[in-house]
Structures are given as C-alpha cells and as structure tokens.
Amino acid sequence: MVGWGTFSLGGLLNGPALADGGSVAAVSRIKDHMEVWWIAPNGSVHDAYRYSTQTPNWKTFELAPEGSADVKGGITAVTRAPGTMEVWWIGRSGSVEGAFWYEGTGKWTTYELAPKGSAVAGSSIYAQSRIPTAMNVWWIGVKSSVEGCFFVENAPQPWTRYRIADEGSAAPKTSITAVSRIPGSEELWWVSSGGSVEGAFWYDGKPWQRYQIAPNGSAAIGAGLKARARLSNLMDLFWIQSDGSVQVATVITDKSPPWTRYQLAGPNSASVQGGLTAVSRIPSTQEVWWVGPRGELKDAFWFEGSSGWKFFDLANAGSARLNSKLASISRIAGSMEVWFASAQGELTDQYWYDTPHYDFSVDKISCMEQRSRNSDTLHIATSVAVAGRPTITKSQHLGDHGIGFTFPDVALRNIPVEDGEIAVFTYIIINNGHDEEGKIQKTLEEGANKLASNAASSEGKDIGAAIGAVLGLAVPVVGTLVGAYLGAVAQVLLTDLFGSILPNCDGPIASAAQVVPASDLNRRLSAGEQFGTTDTNPGVTSPHGCGANSSYTTTWSVKKSPE
C-alpha cells in the first residue's frame, strides 16, 4: 500500500491490553525489524516483534511477569547497535528495571538498574544512545529530582548513577525527552511542578548545565513532550500546553537567539492528559502526532519547500484513550509507525509507506485429472523475492482433493515493490499423503524460497538462467515449469521428500516462477487491468497403479494491497 494504514496488535495477537495511561516504547534495530514494548494492567511487561521474513509477521511474549512494573510508570528502549536492544521501566516499588538482548544469545536478560525507592510513583523514563558504546537513562526521583544513569561499554563499572537536577526541580508526573544531535552532546528536557519547560545539556568533557526554555504555566504536566534533531545543528522541542495547544521551541545552534518559540496548533487541539511523539524520517521532513481532545489522533507534517505545517486527523474521534501515551519510529526513509492505546486499551499501530505494496496470491487450483487413484493430498508453498529484500514465503496443507477445484488461502500480503524493481513470484504444489506434515511444509518452503530468491538475485539481468541454474539445468527457464522442468523441481529442490524417484503416488503437481516487473505491474493495475493468469500444469509420469498423469491449472494474481 501507499499512504496510511492501521491495525490492532491486540486484535491480531489476542495480546493483553495496555494499562490505563500506560506507556509504550518502540525501536527498529535493522530495516526489516520492529519491536514494541508496553505495560499491561497487571503490571507485566510485554514485547511484540516483527521481522518481515517471519511468519506470522508479529510475535509476542511476556518479558516480565505480573507485578514487575508500575502501571502508571514509563517504559523506554534503545538499540545502540544493530545486534542489541535494551529496555527499561519503572518497577512497582520505585526501582528502575532493565532487560537486554544481544544477537546470538537468543534470550532476554533482566536486571535491576536502580533499587526500590529510586523513582517517584508514576515516573516517566527516557533513554538514548549517542554512540554504540554508551547509553543514558533518566527518570524522576522520589523527591522530584531528575536522576540519570550512564553506561560505558567495557568500563570497570559499566553503569554510573548521577543527578542532573536537585529535589523539587521536576513535576513528579512530567514527561521526559532527550536528543543527541552529535556524538559528543546530549540534551534533556522535562516539566517543572509550575509548568515551566526545563532543559539541561552536556558536551563531552564538560558538566551538565541547566536552563529554562519556557516559564511557569507553559506546559501541561504529564502531557506529551518530544524532541527531535533532524539536522546536526537543529533541534525542535514539542509539548502540550495547559490550554490544549501544541507548542514548539526550535534552535539552530550556530545562530542567535538560541531558542525561538511558536504555536503549532491552537487551544483545545490536544488532550492535556495525552501523549505526543515525532519523527524525522529524512532530514527534510518532520511529522508530529498527538491525542486530540475527543480521542482523535492528530497529525501535523512539514517538508522542506512547503508553505508551512499541514494538519489532518490520522484516526477519528474515539480512536484513542485521552491519556494514551505515544511512540513512533521510522525504520526506513519510506515508512513511519505510530503506536497508541485505543479506546478499548488495545495496542494500535498507524503505519505509513511511500512504496507501493502488493498482495501476491494463488487464487484457484483446478484439477482435471488427479495423480493418485482416488484423490490427491495437496500441499502448496509460495514465495516472493525482490533483490535486496528478504524473501517472503508461506505454505499450507490443502487437504484431499479429486477432480474439481479449490480456493487456497495462500496470499503474501503487503510486499513492497518499488519502481524499477523486479519481483519473482514462485509456487510449488505437490501430492504427498505419506510424509509428516512438518517435514513437507519445511521442504516446500525451502524449495519455493530458493527458487524465488536465486532468481531475484540476478536483478533482472538473466532471471531465466538463474532459475535454470537452481534446477541444475543449462537452459534458461521462466514461467510455468512443466515436463522435465517440473521433474527437476521435485528431484533438486524437494529431494528430502522425493529423492531421485517418486515413491507411491506422491509427486509434483505444479510449479512456476513468474517474473513481475514493477513498471508493468503498476501500469496495468493503475489502468484497471488485472495482473495474473491461469497456468496450465500438466504433471509428470505417475507410477503404475496410480491415477493418470495429473492435469491441473493454477490461477494466480497480484493486486495492490488495500489502503
């Protein structure tokens, strides 16, 4: 799809809801990965993650059990290197709890960063990593101080506690935000009990210094506060004022005066209990979201060369809890994700892509002659591959079928294919009523994946030759695979099932490797035409005592993913 879409992670995974007013955090450590964490009403901490190569796309688990977290407290996460993730939350007794994951370990490890009584009840928490070997975590102390703890990899004492602002400096329920615009600096902001917006900055080799951005009465305590640095010399700080307006302070570090303020949205534009978040997916754009006074999700965006900020409702009134916190990420330049709690408390994602997305599917399988004497036990695997992207694969057991047709639910959805790219769509259908189902599905998926990914790796230069090479053939092959080519699929890609001979009445039914150029796909679909066809699939010789050689047709199509 191109544009905005939405889904409920709670509805998709039947996972637990967010605590009322509970926080959410999200990171993307590599371009094909997203991970999101939230606190459930019973104080457990939950994790949901997505890799575009996995099926199903989203998986979830409990990171910390019931009672682990303050249900009104914050949660934050960073990825300081592509192979690491770190997450922290406020414990039920005011401790600061953490968990980390390192690639290759296959597990999360939890630990206590600060003991009970370190954080005020309901404290916000924020973390960032300015360089791959360092991290900082900040929270509000029990007497409204601003506390910090920094990490330096391989140091004798990896974590060191410190204080940025003395007791009484912060509102207990204030939001916290920070940026690191260059590797040698960090900037931190919070709201005081009087509603002023306070800041502190650090430069490598110098102590933290404090200052005030906006006076008392400027900010709603507990409402959203978010900073972004889309350029190394530019920072923007967004917050919600007590009248429901959205305010901005911006600084260009090499110009004077240092900070200038303006109003982004007027009074009654925002819930004074709700969250606010922002991303800059490329240096020339900025996008901000907040919860509206009627539970809408508001969106304001700006891009270089535009006449100013543009506004719209991303989600209608009643979509979000008025006290929902927000999290956002941009894992690639062409995508954005915004996470919030729905009115029912379900974790909900609004996502945006600027790359066309398509659904590749096998829609109908028709049998004119089965391979077995009575019925064929059908299994199917499909794959889509685009050079430079992970290959997506899905398989399904279709059951026993005789002469007639079946409509398999085998679709690979939301596959991005940019202009100039070429997708390779493959399917393999077999009759196998003797092997264990898990073995069949694994072998089929590996075969379809190898066929598609090797073809796509040629990047359009000689896809036919690449397909032929996968099958051990010296001739180029593309499209429907019949005769010796279908036999090669069984003997080369599905050796674990069939070997060099076809046992019983089992054997290949149909296979194809279809080339789908994005330019042709977009042109035909934009013109209202269909993209796809019905392949004729004559089978290979079946053993004596089985049915006649099978005769099938397979109807497949590619459609634009729903908006």
Side-chain angles (χ1 to χ4, degrees):
M1 63 168 289
V2 179
W4 285 100
T6 186
F7 77 94
S8 165
L9 192 59
L12 181 69
L13 299 175
N14 197 29
L18 278 80
D20 189 20
S23 293
V24 58
V27 300
S28 172
R29 63 180 184 87
I30 55 176
K31 68 177 184 177
D32 297 307
H33 161 266
M34 286 185 289
E35 201 135 352
V36 60
W37 298 267
W38 70 98
I39 298 168
N42 67 357
S44 57
V45 179
H46 290 264
D47 181 315
Y49 63 96
R50 175 189 184 273
Y51 291 89
S52 51
T53 54
Q54 77 185 15
T55 302
N57 279 155
W58 283 96
K59 296 182 180 179
T60 188
F61 65 94
E62 184 180 80
L63 179 59
E66 179 177 349
S68 296
D70 178 349
V71 295
K72 299 293 186 183
I75 189 167
T76 187
V78 298
T79 173
R80 60 186 175 92
T84 74
M85 291 182 288
E86 319 259 350
V87 60
W88 300 270
W89 62 90
I90 304 299
R92 188 168 58 175
S93 300
S95 61
V96 179
E97 304 293 330
F100 61 87
W101 175 94
Y102 294 152
E103 192 169 30
T105 64
K107 65 176 184 178
W108 282 88
T109 300
T110 57
Y111 64 100
E112 183 181 79
L113 180 62
K116 65 181 182 179
S118 296
V120 69
S123 172
S124 179
I125 188 168
Y126 198 88
Q128 72 179 10
S129 173
R130 62 184 177 86
I131 54 176
T133 57
M135 298 180 289
N136 241 316
V137 185
W138 300 279
W139 66 89
I140 306 303
V142 289
K143 294 185 178 181
S144 300
S145 58
V146 180
E147 303 291 329
C149 195
F150 68 85
F151 168 91
V152 178
E153 191 173 55
N154 297 324
Q157 181 78 22
W159 286 100
T160 302
R161 284 277 305 271
Y162 66 102
R163 176 174 286 179
I164 284 185
D166 292 334
E167 295 175 0
S169 297
K173 307 295 185 184
T174 178
S175 297
I176 305 171
T177 190
V179 296
S180 176
R181 61 183 180 83
I182 56 175
S185 82
E186 295 194 88
E187 314 257 350
L188 179 72
W189 297 271
W190 66 91
V191 176
S192 75
S193 57
S196 63
V197 180
E198 304 291 328
F201 61 87
W202 171 91
Y203 287 93
D204 203 357
K206 297 181 180 180
W208 283 90
Q209 296 186 51
R210 284 191 54 189
Y211 64 102
Q212 186 180 84
I213 282 188
N216 283 350
S218 296
I221 296 171
L225 178 73
K226 186 66 177 180
R228 298 301 303 173
R230 62 184 181 85
L231 299 171
S232 62
N233 68 337
L234 175 71
M235 295 180 291
D236 291 297
L237 179 65
F238 305 88
W239 73 87
I240 296 170
Q241 194 160 281
S242 55
D243 62 358
S245 61
V246 179
Q247 302 291 319
V248 187
T250 187
V251 62
I252 299 175
T253 58
D254 51 2
K255 290 187 178 182
S256 184
W259 287 94
T260 57
R261 280 188 58 186
Y262 65 95
Q263 180 171 276
L264 179 62
N268 302 312
S269 295
S271 165
V272 294
Q273 311 167 54
L276 178 150
T277 190
V279 299
S280 176
R281 60 185 179 85
I282 54 176
S284 58
T285 72
Q286 186 106 279
E287 202 136 353
V288 187
W289 303 270
W290 64 90
V291 178
R294 297 177 298 125
E296 324 90 300
L297 188 61
K298 299 284 190 179
D299 187 311
F301 65 93
W302 172 92
F303 56 90
E304 205 167 64
S306 66
S307 58
W309 287 88
K310 310 295 182 184
F311 303 86
F312 68 98
D313 285 358
L314 180 54
N316 296 329
S319 296
R321 283 178 170 169
L322 292 178
N323 61 357
S324 171
K325 303 301 188 287
L326 306 182
S328 59
I329 56 172
S330 175
R331 60 185 179 83
I332 55 174
S335 83
M336 297 180 288
E337 315 268 341
V338 187
W339 298 93
F340 63 98
S342 72
Q344 294 74 37
E346 291 186 337
L347 183 59
T348 303
D349 179 25
Q350 293 279 351
Y351 57 91
W352 177 90
Y353 294 101
D354 71 348
T355 298
H357 282 56
Y358 301 94
D359 295 348
F360 293 71
S361 61
V362 172
D363 306 310
K364 182 180 179 181
I365 300 171
S366 299
C367 174
M368 284 69 70
E369 195 73 55
Q370 69 254 19
R371 179 177 177 83
S372 301
R373 183 177 294 277
N374 297 314
S375 62
D376 287 340
T377 303
L378 298 181
H379 304 263
I380 184 173
T382 61
S383 281
V384 176
V386 178
R389 302 182 190 272
T391 300
I392 309 302
T393 304
K394 183 177 181 179
S395 64
Q396 187 176 331
H397 171 51
L398 301 177
D400 294 340
H401 295 276
I403 293 173
F405 50 83
T406 183
F407 299 94
D409 180 23
V410 183
L412 302 169
R413 304 188 188 280
N414 286 315
I415 307 298
V417 187
E418 294 184 5
D419 289 346
E421 291 184 326
I422 296 176
V424 178
F425 178 45
T426 65
Y427 64 81
I428 302 174
I429 305 170
I430 66 168
N431 168 46
N432 190 314
H434 295 85
D435 284 300
E436 188 268 326
E437 186 172 331
K439 177 183 177 182
I440 295 172
Q441 302 305 98
K442 179 178 183 292
T443 306
L444 268 180
E445 288 183 6
E446 290 174 349
N449 185 297
K450 186 174 183 180
L451 194 61
S453 58
N454 279 267
S457 66
S458 68
E459 299 187 10
K461 295 172 184 175
D462 198 342
I463 290 178
I467 296 170
V470 172
L471 299 177
L473 303 172
V475 295
V477 183
V478 73
T480 309
L481 305 178
V482 299
Y485 304 150
L486 182 59
V489 169
Q491 294 175 9
V492 176
L493 298 180
L494 309 178
T495 306
D496 287 350
L497 297 179
F498 302 129
S500 59
I501 60 171
L502 300 178
N504 307 306
C505 298
D506 296 345
I509 295 293
S511 186
Q514 303 290 357
V515 178
V516 183
S519 55
D520 191 25
L521 178 60
N522 189 49
R523 175 185 59 79
R524 288 171 58 179
L525 293 181
S526 297
E529 301 176 20
Q530 294 185 344
F531 195 101
T533 190
T534 297
D535 296 336
T536 300
N537 308 112
V540 296
T541 303
S542 56
H544 179 72
C546 298
N549 292 353
S550 62
S551 177
Y552 280 73
T553 61
T554 306
T555 302
W556 60 274
S557 65
V558 186
K559 303 179 180 70
K560 283 189 176 180
S561 299
E563 296 290 337

